[in-house]
Amino acid sequence: GDSVTQMEGPVTLSEEAFLTINCTYTATGYPSLFWYVQYPGEGLQLLLKATKADDKGSNKGFEATYRKETTSFHLEKGSVQVSDSAVYFCALSGGETSGSRLTFGEGTQLTVNP
Amino acid sequence: DAGITQSPRHKVTETGTPVTLRCHQTENHRYMYWYRQDPGHGLRLIHYSYGVKDTDKGEVSDGYSVSRSKTEDFLLTLESATSSQTSVYFCAISEAGVTAQYFGPGTRLLVL
């Protein structure tokens, strides 16, 4: 079935450091890919999305490119801030197995220190 | 932000009692979902709905039932709550099955 694998956390960075959180997927068909962010005590917020190969999703300085050849959707940000501290989830839907369901990765805890 | 509310936001109950959680949306989206989030397990789908009175099971549906009698409301019922159902429950909505899902603020449920 469809699956999503994220790099293991937690990740700790200093403010203004470069961020990469790796995400790879396994799916048949043509899935859409998403990154969600969850701040402490809150629900998940959609951060960005990409619906087809080579699409780049971007929002709030974060970017991710849908790479079908490497089945990846890595999240990047050039300069992180303390306020970016949160848990980040990679997810997919629309694969032949997942259909209308979201398949999530396990999440990556990011802590940014001043 | 998508118009999604969940009620109650916090609940403490005793083992064996029935519990109903409500999700309400103002976006007129067709799809609605219930997830639970537990440490070490990430988010797991309980049930979802693809239209009024149309529902299907997710990966952890045992002990839960759902109902959707109108587009805006999706109810999750724990028929007889157990301590293993202590969790944070999230509702989500989407316009179509493969589009982005938008999440509510969550309900923290403690079963004693």
Side-chain angles (χ1 to χ4, degrees):
Chain A
D2 297 343
S3 66
V4 175
T5 302
Q6 286 182 238
M7 67 183 290
E8 293 186 10
V11 174
T12 302
L13 296 173
S14 297
E15 204 164 25
E16 299 183 3
F18 185 86
L19 168 70
T20 299
I21 301 178
N22 290 336
C23 171
T24 58
Y25 68 90
T26 301
T28 53
Y30 303 92
S32 295
L33 301 174
F34 308 91
W35 277 101
Y36 285 86
V37 58
Q38 186 177 31
Y39 299 102
E42 299 185 10
L44 277 73
Q45 299 176 25
L46 178 66
L47 182 58
L48 53 83
K49 65 181 180 181
T51 58
K52 61 182 185 296
D54 299 325
D55 268 1
K56 177 186 283 188
S58 61
N59 186 25
K60 300 181 180 179
F62 291 89
E63 294 183 340
T65 301
Y66 188 164
R67 302 285 190 200
K68 196 167 179 67
E69 64 275 15
T70 55
T71 62
S72 65
F73 193 54
H74 305 321
L75 182 68
E76 297 181 335
K77 187 176 185 183
S79 176
V80 293
Q81 305 300 313
V82 172
S83 57
D84 293 327
S85 298
V87 180
Y88 293 81
F89 292 91
C90 185
L92 71 82
S93 72
E96 289 185 2
T97 302
S98 55
S100 60
R101 310 176 184 198
L102 267 178
T103 299
F104 285 95
E106 290 298 310
T108 301
Q109 172 77 55
L110 170 66
T111 301
V112 181
N113 295 319
Chain B
D1 289 343
I4 311 168
T5 56
Q6 293 185 231
S7 59
R9 295 293 313 281
H10 303 269
K11 185 168 183 66
V12 180
T13 190
E14 294 186 350
T15 298
T17 60
V19 176
T20 295
L21 308 183
R22 179 181 183 237
C23 177
H24 178 78
Q25 60 147 328
T26 58
E27 304 296 323
N28 200 37
H29 283 357
R30 179 182 172 193
Y31 284 76
M32 298 185 76
Y33 306 81
W34 277 108
Y35 294 89
R36 60 178 290 175
Q37 185 177 35
D38 305 287
H41 291 278
L43 283 112
R44 294 181 290 177
L45 181 65
I46 304 171
H47 282 280
Y48 69 102
S49 169
Y50 47 95
V52 174
K53 299 185 179 178
D54 292 322
T55 65
D56 203 354
K57 296 179 179 179
E59 60 184 299
V60 289
S61 59
D62 287 348
Y64 301 95
S65 62
V66 289
S67 66
R68 191 170 179 200
S69 59
K70 44 187 179 176
T71 300
E72 56 265 37
D73 289 327
F74 192 33
L75 304 181
L76 176 71
T77 298
L78 290 65
E79 303 289 348
S80 177
T82 68
S83 58
S84 64
Q85 293 176 312
T86 291
S87 187
V88 181
Y89 291 85
F90 289 102
C91 173
I93 65 173
S94 70
E95 195 167 9
V98 296
T99 57
Q101 292 184 21
Y102 298 91
F103 285 77
T107 294
R108 290 186 176 274
L109 176 66
L110 175 60
V111 183
L112 300 175

